[in-house]
Amino acid sequence: METAPVPAFSELISGTQRSAVHLEMRDVYDPGSRRFASWRSGHRENPANRDEWWNPFHSVIAEAVARGVQVRRARVVSEPVSDYVQFEYDVTFSNIAAGEQVRWLPRRRASDLALPGNDFWVFDGRLVRLSHFGGNGEFVQDEMTENPAVVKLCVEAFERVWERAVDHHDYRPA
């Protein structure tokens, strides 16, 4: 696959005009993160205390949404969910507060879907950022492509997942 250099996420989203979609398909990400460790030790973030959890990522998303960009995130998850997915579920209020729409699809309901091998973002239906992770959930690298076949696969896969997925407010992790 022909790839381009990978700009910072903030640069990609700031250049987005209409839509940014993100498909997550792993059951663990960055298991060594401080936020996850704090959650595992029993701390629960207070949605009313924005100073506790708001970070630059949320600001970038909020700015894009304010410009009219629709930001959607879908998560394909195994059930029963992993501790990490339960943590993601518990902190998703922060994504929603920034303006994202979030849905969840139990993996058993995705068996007949053709999905790319990696998580991805698609910006304005034309540019894909693929994310590679190690088996332990640690981030390895991102890859960018405008290859029409890859873009089409990712856009179609996201839309199929989105159609089946359950809105965050209605989903209850099993």
Side-chain angles (χ1 to χ4, degrees):
M1 176 181 342
E2 192 173 314
T3 61
V6 182
F9 179 81
S10 58
E11 184 179 331
L12 290 167
I13 198 78
S14 69
T16 300
Q17 297 176 10
R18 297 179 321 278
S19 68
V21 299
H22 184 39
L23 183 62
E24 297 179 1
M25 298 178 285
R26 298 185 55 85
D27 289 321
V28 65
Y29 297 88
D30 192 15
S33 80
R34 289 186 305 177
R35 195 175 184 198
F36 180 50
S38 177
W39 179 88
R40 287 189 84 178
S41 69
H43 175 75
R44 297 300 180 261
E45 294 175 353
N46 178 354
N49 184 2
R50 185 175 153 152
D51 291 340
E52 177 184 18
W53 49 266
W54 191 267
N55 63 47
F57 173 81
H58 298 116
S59 295
V60 167
I61 294 296
E63 290 165 7
V65 170
R67 288 194 325 271
V69 175
Q70 181 184 46
V71 181
R72 297 182 293 157
R73 177 185 304 258
R75 293 177 170 140
V76 178
V77 297
S78 300
E79 290 181 329
V81 299
S82 66
D83 282 353
Y84 196 90
V85 168
Q86 182 64 56
F87 157 70
E88 281 187 321
Y89 177 82
D90 288 351
V91 300
T92 293
F93 71 86
S94 64
N95 299 82
I96 292 167
E100 286 189 40
Q101 299 170 50
V102 180
R103 292 187 182 178
W104 303 81
L105 181 64
R107 194 172 308 280
R108 71 180 180 281
R109 294 187 53 216
S111 297
D112 62 338
L113 298 179
L115 301 175
N118 297 290
D119 290 7
F120 60 82
W121 279 91
V122 179
F123 302 94
D124 285 335
R126 64 170 188 76
L127 179 65
V128 175
R129 183 179 93 169
L130 298 159
S131 296
H132 301 284
F133 294 87
N136 63 357
E138 295 289 337
F139 173 75
V140 174
Q141 72 179 41
D142 283 328
E143 170 181 9
M144 297 293 301
T145 185
E146 291 182 276
N147 177 308
V150 175
V151 171
K152 182 178 190 263
L153 172 67
C154 291
V155 167
E156 289 177 356
F158 181 87
E159 292 305 331
R160 287 189 182 110
V161 167
W162 189 257
E163 288 171 6
R164 288 189 188 182
V166 178
D167 185 80
H168 175 73
H169 297 292
D170 297 323
Y171 178 72
R172 297 298 171 262

